[in-house]
């Protein structure tokens, strides 16, 4: 059992309590030394010399919290709490359900999540919550789970690593001790912290399996940090961690009402950085190879589904008048049983017609397929006879017969 744990309150629960010590005048100007940020993170300047890390990166419909003050035009009139702002953004990006286990550091967040209109789904433990959020993200576009600090976060970590391996967008929301404990060594170590009281340990543990880690230590920076982390989750199609100290969760989210009104998630630019000249050159090269081909073939992988590229792949198939085979991981990326899907390619285990279509092609265009042993362990693609064009993971590569020196 987790300390102080109880079930979340009903949806009709009263609004969260007033903010608790948002400014911490006794916090020293320089934070305690900590590990370097995640390689993909971007430092966001904070007030009073403190800092936290976040990273830059299919939004859904607009949503408003039950009990949130609305203006005449239906927009949020006053800045919501940081926890409510986070819940509203989760609704906007399509995470209308949150899976989790309440704990004492996350009880306020649970109240705000439920009060914002997000459906709470309780699970037996945090690992289950992460797995459930992973499955939800595969189906709905983004999943979310809410855990308490330390014991809850570390329990969920294995499920988050699985989502990272599979390229699933998943938001982990973690409650945490009061923000003052991050800036000075406390006289008494907060419970659930590792020995020595290093509160950065959870974020550092999540860094290798997330696109971004955001620790919200200042209410004035929270809105920007939440938005940046969610953009990273959606654009990279990978998990992110948003760690929210108890006092910050209840504090007003400075500028939050204006961001909800003027910067809806539906307007976010989720495109990955790219070089337009390199893209044009890659398109010309692929087009030339296809024009010179006698037996072209298309093979789609799981990234087609994760990147919501099914319509584009279907359009390409119609233009080329070619069916599309899928890898094991990419199964159901395109609807099966129609004229577009050729079947599942799995090397020697494939149906003969599917294997012949893929392996006898002189130009094979592979879209969004990771080169994993599950997909390719029995594959017999002869690069001496076949030009293979790999499109995915932010780039284009040509290998085999048609590759340039």
């Amino acid at each position: 059992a987790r300390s102080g744990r109880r079930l979340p309150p009903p949806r009709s629960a009263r609004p969260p309590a007033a903010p608790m010590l948002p400014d911490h005048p006794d916090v020293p100007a320089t934070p305690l030394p900590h590990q370097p940020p995640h390689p993909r993170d971007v430092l966001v300047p904070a007030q009073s010399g403190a800092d936290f890390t976040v990273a830059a990166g299919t939004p859904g419909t607009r949503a408003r919290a039950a009990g949130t003050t609305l203006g005449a035009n239906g927009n949020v009139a006053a800045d919501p709490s940081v926890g409510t702002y986070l819940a509203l953004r989760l609704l906007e990006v399509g995470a209308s359900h949150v899976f989790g286990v309440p704990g004492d550091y996350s009880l306020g967040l649970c109240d705000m999540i439920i009060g914002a209109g997000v459906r709470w789904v309780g699970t037996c433990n945090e690992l289950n919550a992460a797995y459930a959020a992973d499955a939800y993200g595969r189906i709905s576009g983004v999943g979310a789970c809410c855990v308490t600090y330390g014991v809850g976060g570390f329990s969920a970590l294995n499920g988050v690593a699985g989502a990272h391996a599979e390229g699933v967008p998943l938001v982990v929301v973690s409650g945490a001790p009061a923000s003052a404990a991050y800036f000075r060594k406390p006289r008494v170590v907060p419970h659930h912290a590792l020995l020595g009281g290093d509160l950065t340990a959870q974020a550092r543990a999540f860094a290798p399996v997330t696109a971004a880690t955001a620790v919200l230590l200042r209410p004035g920076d929270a809105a920007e940090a939440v938005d940046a982390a969610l953009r990273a989750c959606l654009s990279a199609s990978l998990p992110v961690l948003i760690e929210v100290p108890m006092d910050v969760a209840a504090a007003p989210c400075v500028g939050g009402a204006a961001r909800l009104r003027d910067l809806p998630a539906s307007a976010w630019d989720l495109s990955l950085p790219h070089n337009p000249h390199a893209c044009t050159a890659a398109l010309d090269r692929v087009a030339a190879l296809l024009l010179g081909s006698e037996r072209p073939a298309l093979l789609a992988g799981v990234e087609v589904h994760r990147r919501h590229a099914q319509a584009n792949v279907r359009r390409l198939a119609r233009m080329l008048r070619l069916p599309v085979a899928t890898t094991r991981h990419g199964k159901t990326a395109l609807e099966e049983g129609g004229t577009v899907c050729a079947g599942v390619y799995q090397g020697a285990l494939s149906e003969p017609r599917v294997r012949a279509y893929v392996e006898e092609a002189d130009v094979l265009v592979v879209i969004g397929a990771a080169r994993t042993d599950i997909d390719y362990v029995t594959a017999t693609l002869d690069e001496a006879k076949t030009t293979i064009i790999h499109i995915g993971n932010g780039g284009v590569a040509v290998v085999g017969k048609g590759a340039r020196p």
Side-chain angles (χ1 to χ4, degrees), residues 15 26 36 46 52 76 101 137 294 320 324 399 403:
D26 57 340
F52 58 85
V76 176
V101 182
E294 295 181 357
L320 297 176
V324 183
V399 297

Side-chain angles (χ1 to χ4, degrees), residues 40 57-58 137-138 141 164 166-169 211 231-239 270-273 301-313 333 367-369 391-395:
R40 286 186 291 266
T58 301
R138 293 169 191 250
H164 184 277
E166 296 284 338
V168 179
R231 285 197 304 270
C233 177
L234 296 173
S235 63
S237 190
L238 290 172
L270 301 178
S271 60
L272 294 173
V302 67
E303 196 175 353
V304 171
H305 182 270
R306 299 286 188 266
R307 300 289 184 174
H308 311 285
Q310 296 96 323
N312 289 335
V313 173
I367 306 172
I391 302 173
N393 197 28

Side-chain angles (χ1 to χ4, degrees), residues 2-10 13-17 20 83 100-115 120 146-149 173-177 191 244-247 249-250:
R2 310 292 185 242
S3 302
R5 180 162 290 175
R6 61 173 173 80
L7 291 176
R14 290 178 295 178
M20 300 167 54
V101 182
D104 48 1
Y105 289 134
S106 63
L107 290 177
L109 276 171
C110 292
D111 290 343
M112 297 170 206
I113 287 169
I114 294 170
W120 176 270
C146 181
V147 300
T148 194
Y149 177 83
V173 179
S174 173
H191 58 283
V244 192
M246 295 184 298
D247 56 316

Side-chain angles (χ1 to χ4, degrees), residues 15-22 79-85 105 107-109 111-112 176 179 216 219 222 244-254:
M20 300 167 54
L21 303 176
D79 285 338
S81 67
V82 171
T84 298
Y85 180 88
Y105 289 134
L107 290 177
L109 276 171
D111 290 343
M112 297 170 206
S179 57
L216 310 184
V244 192
M246 295 184 298
D247 56 316
V248 175
C253 187
V254 179

Side-chain angles (χ1 to χ4, degrees), residues 86 90 93 95 133 142-146 169-173 230 233 238-242:
L86 171 56
L90 288 176
V93 301
V142 62
C145 62
C146 181
L170 190 159
V171 182
V172 181
V173 179
L230 293 179
C233 177
L238 290 172
V240 296
L241 169 70
I242 301 178

Side-chain angles (χ1 to χ4, degrees), residues 62-65 67-81 84-85 88 252-262:
R62 301 283 287 159
R64 296 298 179 214
T68 300
T69 303
L70 301 179
N73 59 359
N75 289 326
V76 176
D79 285 338
S81 67
T84 298
Y85 180 88
L88 290 171
C253 187
V254 179
R259 291 183 75 95
L260 289 169
R261 181 186 65 246
D262 301 332

